[in-house]
Amino acid sequence: MTGRSRILVANRGEIAVRIVRACHTAGHEAVAVYSDTDKNARWVRMADEALHIGGSPAAKSYLNTDAILEAAKYAEVDAVHPGYGFLSENAAFARAVTAAGFTFIGPPPEVIELMGDKASARSAATEAGVPVVPGSRPVTDTDDAVRVAEEIGYPILVKAAAGGGGRGIRPVRDATQLTEVFAGARAEAQSAFGDGTAYLERALPRARHVEVQLLADHHGNLVHLFERDCSVQRRRQKLLEEAPAPGLDERTRNELGEAAKRLGEHVGYRNAGTVEFLVDPDGRFYFIEMNTRVQVEHPITEAITGVDLVAEQLRIADGASLSLTQDSARHSGAAVELRINAEDPDNDFLPTPGEITSFEAPGGPGVRLDTALTRGEQISPFYDSLIAKLVCWGADRQQAYARARQALSEFRVEGVANTIPLHRELVDDGELTEGAVHTTWLEERS
């Protein structure tokens, strides 16, 4: 992949739009893929070429490695960008892409494999001198789990070793509950991830979820681009993120960044990735996982640093050096991202597929809207329920939230129940605006 290249975008939705734009801005051609449902989608229309890869169910299209590689060969592309979700953290897919002669725009397959297994990722963090949440080796059966849990101390979390993105986690308060849920948790992990391996981890009450953005090239350069706070969650699925994390002192901020870099260097990381931590009320932080891809919430880091993360991914894949160093990296102001989902908060966040009958986008200084949808288009039942990501930047946190309130007051999506009304409530909540939130705050608030 050198000079002007052809890049296949192996994804859909707003992230496919984002990557096509980045390709065109960098002077590359973009090749889209699409399922039956998505044949008239925005990223398909934007791309230089678009190829059908299968039926609407993801297993027949966006999770179909053979179909994606066939499209890449037919289009004679140079590289494949996996986006997030789907096959983005699948080491076998990354290997298949490179074996077929294409550049995989992401980290090496062996790093995806290492950090995708939560138990081996914990071991790597420990080797790198990064603190981890007290936890266990993989546990084999219920009796073993009960013995190990007594050593760790309750409350605990039962975690799928192959899980990620907040999935494959069961909270457990005592031995009785552990006995009831352990076998089911392993079976669920086997079904969802193809791997029933589980381990235990101590639960940290009222902890914040803080993650650090990394970029690394093939010339030994690795930088962190500061942190994001992702503590506003519903069942461990993020709803609102902001950068930088409010309330962190500079010492903790610097230590988090350096810890993330140590881990990245230790595992030989390349391209964009995110190291996730829990920060307890006393400011102690613990590694929980690494996402070996671009994150949904990457725009807030772009907003405060001015760094185009997807453009950096393309540069790295092309063999170029990073466009910045750690010394030159700066952040300015504050940014908040609100995930607008087709879900009904009044009905246990049940997905609400259907037609968008009205779509009025917000605007104004510091306002960015990442979406692939508009009026007359469908929210499909086959994929996630994300409608748009509303990103608001301000010179300080107060201005960022003021712009978010104004943008939400302008934003209209009709035809499907969605999370705009909930976000209007959240950005007016004093505890959130004061930064006094944690990973179970939203559930306790409800």
Side-chain angles (χ1 to χ4, degrees), residues 180-247:
E180 294 170 351
V181 308
F182 184 76
R186 288 196 67 196
E188 183 181 273
Q190 181 66 45
S191 175
F193 309 112
D195 182 352
T197 305
Y199 68 98
L200 309 183
E201 197 172 84
R202 183 185 296 166
L204 297 178
R206 306 185 75 80
R208 295 165 60 188
H209 184 144
V210 179
E211 61 189 27
V212 178
Q213 176 69 58
L214 294 183
L215 284 175
D217 63 23
H218 296 275
H219 305 281
N221 303 305
L222 188 152
V223 302
H224 74 76
L225 290 176
F226 313 103
E227 81 288 343
R228 302 181 286 253
D229 191 306
C230 308
S231 300
V232 181
Q233 304 176 4
R234 187 262 316 168
R235 295 177 186 163
R236 297 180 180 82
Q237 299 301 306
K238 301 165 186 173
L239 284 178
L240 179 153
E241 305 95 352
E242 58 180 298

Side-chain angles (χ1 to χ4, degrees), residues 111-381:
V111 176
I112 297 175
E113 195 164 57
L114 173 68
M115 301 312 289
D117 181 279
K118 300 302 177 282
S120 63
R122 282 173 56 89
S123 296
T126 300
E127 292 166 2
V130 176
V132 299
V133 178
S136 75
R137 53 172 169 74
V139 286
T140 55
D141 55 41
T142 301
D143 290 340
D144 188 27
V146 170
R147 284 193 299 272
V148 172
E150 291 297 334
E151 297 172 5
I152 296 172
Y154 292 95
I156 62 167
L157 300 173
V158 179
K159 287 192 165 187
R167 299 175 301 155
I169 301 173
R170 294 274 191 100
V172 173
R173 63 181 176 273
D174 54 34
T176 300
Q177 187 183 17
L178 179 59
T179 302
E180 294 170 351
V181 308
F182 184 76
R186 288 196 67 196
E188 183 181 273
Q190 181 66 45
S191 175
F193 309 112
D195 182 352
T197 305
Y199 68 98
L200 309 183
E201 197 172 84
R202 183 185 296 166
L204 297 178
R206 306 185 75 80
R208 295 165 60 188
H209 184 144
V210 179
E211 61 189 27
V212 178
Q213 176 69 58
L214 294 183
L215 284 175
D217 63 23
H218 296 275
H219 305 281
N221 303 305
L222 188 152
V223 302
H224 74 76
L225 290 176
F226 313 103
E227 81 288 343
R228 302 181 286 253
D229 191 306
C230 308
S231 300
V232 181
Q233 304 176 4
R234 187 262 316 168
R235 295 177 186 163
R236 297 180 180 82
Q237 299 301 306
K238 301 165 186 173
L239 284 178
L240 179 153
E241 305 95 352
E242 58 180 298
L248 280 189
D249 59 69
E250 281 305 306
R251 177 180 176 181
T252 303
R253 174 169 287 118
N254 292 336
E255 289 177 350
L256 277 166
E258 290 305 311
K261 286 179 65 176
R262 283 201 306 277
L263 181 57
E265 290 165 352
H266 178 71
V267 301
Y269 202 81
R270 300 291 182 272
N271 216 272
T274 299
V275 183
E276 304 201 350
F277 298 91
L278 290 177
V279 181
D280 72 16
D282 296 321
R284 294 185 293 259
F285 61 84
Y286 306 91
F287 168 81
I288 49 174
E289 67 178 13
M290 185 173 193
N291 294 130
T292 55
R293 53 170 168 80
V294 67
Q295 292 278 81
V296 177
E297 59 272 19
H298 75 273
I300 52 175
T301 294
E302 294 181 328
I304 66 167
T305 63
V307 176
D308 184 329
L309 294 176
V310 181
E312 291 297 318
Q313 287 191 287
L314 301 181
R315 285 177 56 87
I316 294 165
D318 203 24
S321 298
L322 294 178
S323 67
L324 72 159
T325 66
Q326 193 63 68
D327 288 341
S328 69
R330 297 285 185 273
H331 65 88
S332 174
V336 58
E337 176 180 281
L338 313 163
R339 298 195 191 188
I340 310 303
N341 298 327
E343 298 173 347
D344 186 354
D346 294 328
N347 192 16
D348 199 29
F349 289 88
L350 190 71
T352 57
E355 182 181 345
I356 297 175
T357 57
S358 178
F359 190 98
E360 297 180 22
V367 175
R368 166 178 168 178
L369 190 71
D370 282 16
T371 186
L373 297 167
T374 189
R375 182 173 62 86
E377 296 191 290
Q378 295 282 330
I379 302 294
S380 171

